[in-house]
Amino acid sequence: MGQWFTRTPKPTQAASLLQTPTLDGVAQYIAENRVRNIVVMCGAGISTSAGIPDFRTKGSGLYDNLQKYKLPRAESIFTLSYFRDRPHAFYELCKEMWPGNYDATPGHYFIRLLHEKGLLRRCFTQNIDSLERMAGIPDDKVVAAHGNFDSAHVIDTDADVDINDLKKALDQGEGGWRRLQADEGGLVKPRIVFFGEELPSRFFELSERDLPVCDLLIVLGTSLVVHPFAGLVCEAGAGAPRLLINRERAGEDQEGGFVLRKRGPCRDAFHKGDIDSGCRALATALGWREDLEALIDSKGTARISRAAWI
Ligand code: OAD
């Protein structure tokens, strides 16, 4: 997979330990330590309940369902060399993935809840669906590490192109995007990070600032195989406990990665299961279940009070 580079972990403080590596243990840690700097990392698993497939789940993941494009490798759909030769495939996929057709999930509203409680330092997402915005998490709290459909560029010159022009061109089919290519002097794509492309500078600036000082890291729905994003797990200050909610174990094979044990005291907790039910259980353990349901039911318009210690 795309390995841009890895960074060395920078421990900043002695480890704080969870009494039990469970959602209850994490809730206890949050309340007892008056936590106020939570960093969330999320991947495609947080959006599957909205109807958007993840990438690597066997059978339902995107990479198992690209046969119609006859790609040499599934990941070719996100590589510049293939896009240059055969733009059709990615452009077709773009039309399917364009934001606007999906609602935020309970997992997204849980992150919004952390924001309303005054505890969210940042949400780093690998997702390009912008469902964090749909859930009402302010843009300054979100880092779209792999880009999104907010803006577009010419791949050879990096010149900006109005994303609405690209949308219009794609709606018109091949004639449309060929015309746009001629007008702009090159192929245009949304600013979605392809394998081998640099991540946005905001990712590096804010991850270096946020991870060392967070007091809890919550990781939701990612296989943690794509770097540099996966490496953020290792950059959380050593004093920060880490929680993974995922259908399967992840992030254990990198240096400084998760050490997932069944019993505490320990630094890392793993809740094996669906994100929506895991986030609901964590909200319940924190006494915030009604607030979470109010946000979900109102599609984010409910007023939520801050945590008692903020
Ligand atoms: P993956 O498809 O690799 O991993 C998704 C993870 O979420 C898997 O471990 C699933 O088991 C889990 N999962 C799925 N649905 C879930 C649910 N409802 N509840 C709990 N867990 C669930 O997706 P990412 O890790 O996000 O990059 O993939 C990372 C990057 O690979 C993407 O951003 C994309 C891709 O190539 C680029 O396009 C550059």
Side-chain angles (χ1 to χ4, degrees), residues 83-301:
F83 178 60
R84 264 197 195 93
D85 287 350
R86 295 194 49 214
H88 306 74
F90 176 69
Y91 279 153
E92 274 310 304
L93 188 66
C94 267
K95 287 203 269 179
E96 284 173 38
M97 300 194 321
W98 211 279
N101 303 324
Y102 302 96
D103 284 331
T105 68
H108 292 98
Y109 282 114
F110 179 75
I111 305 171
R112 165 78 188 281
L113 179 70
L114 294 178
H115 168 66
E116 294 299 326
K117 292 291 175 191
L119 312 187
L120 181 69
R121 184 172 178 99
R122 207 81 61 189
C123 169
F124 291 84
T125 182
Q126 292 168 102
N127 300 341
I128 57 176
D129 53 32
S130 296
L131 290 187
E132 299 84 8
R133 182 183 292 149
M134 196 74 103
I137 306 163
D139 282 356
D140 67 315
K141 286 286 173 86
V142 179
V143 176
H146 293 169
N148 57 28
F149 289 88
D150 282 1
S151 55
H153 67 145
V154 180
I155 58 167
D156 295 314
T157 62
D158 200 34
D160 285 319
V161 176
D162 187 332
I163 189 74
N164 297 311
D165 291 346
L166 177 59
K167 174 85 170 73
K168 241 181 277 164
L170 293 184
D171 286 344
Q172 290 162 359
E174 180 161 355
W177 59 256
R178 291 264 183 230
R179 241 186 329 274
L180 185 67
Q181 178 180 11
D183 290 350
E184 300 292 342
L187 274 171
V188 176
K189 79 168 183 44
R191 285 195 185 272
I192 288 168
V193 178
F194 275 18
F195 289 109
E197 280 191 306
E198 190 64 283
L199 273 65
S201 54
R202 187 174 146 76
F203 168 82
F204 297 102
E205 285 157 20
L206 293 181
S207 62
E208 275 177 26
R209 229 192 278 166
D210 294 335
L211 271 299
V213 299
C214 74
D215 39 26
L216 175 67
L217 177 67
I218 299 181
V219 182
L220 303 172
T222 169
S223 57
L224 289 173
V225 295
V226 174
H227 287 266
F229 189 92
L232 296 189
V233 168
C234 318
E235 293 190 31
R242 304 176 295 192
L243 164 66
L244 170 68
I245 303 181
N246 211 43
R247 284 184 183 154
E248 57 189 7
R249 303 169 78 99
E252 292 172 281
D253 51 2
Q254 47 181 345
E255 198 190 330
F258 286 121
V259 178
L260 304 176
R261 299 203 176 103
K262 290 221 161 66
R263 273 176 227 47
C266 54
R267 180 185 185 195
D268 296 329
F270 174 42
H271 179 81
K272 185 176 193 307
D274 277 6
I275 291 164
D276 293 348
S277 57
C279 287
R280 283 188 154 111
L282 183 52
T284 303
L286 286 160
W288 298 339
R289 179 63 183 271
E290 274 181 31
D291 288 340
L292 176 59
E293 298 304 331
L295 279 176
I296 296 167
D297 292 345
S298 68
K299 294 199 181 221
T301 59

Side-chain angles (χ1 to χ4, degrees), residues 32-44:
E32 283 180 2
N33 292 279
R34 299 168 165 254
V35 158
R36 51 174 68 221
N37 274 305
I38 299 180
V39 168
V40 177
M41 290 168 58
C42 45

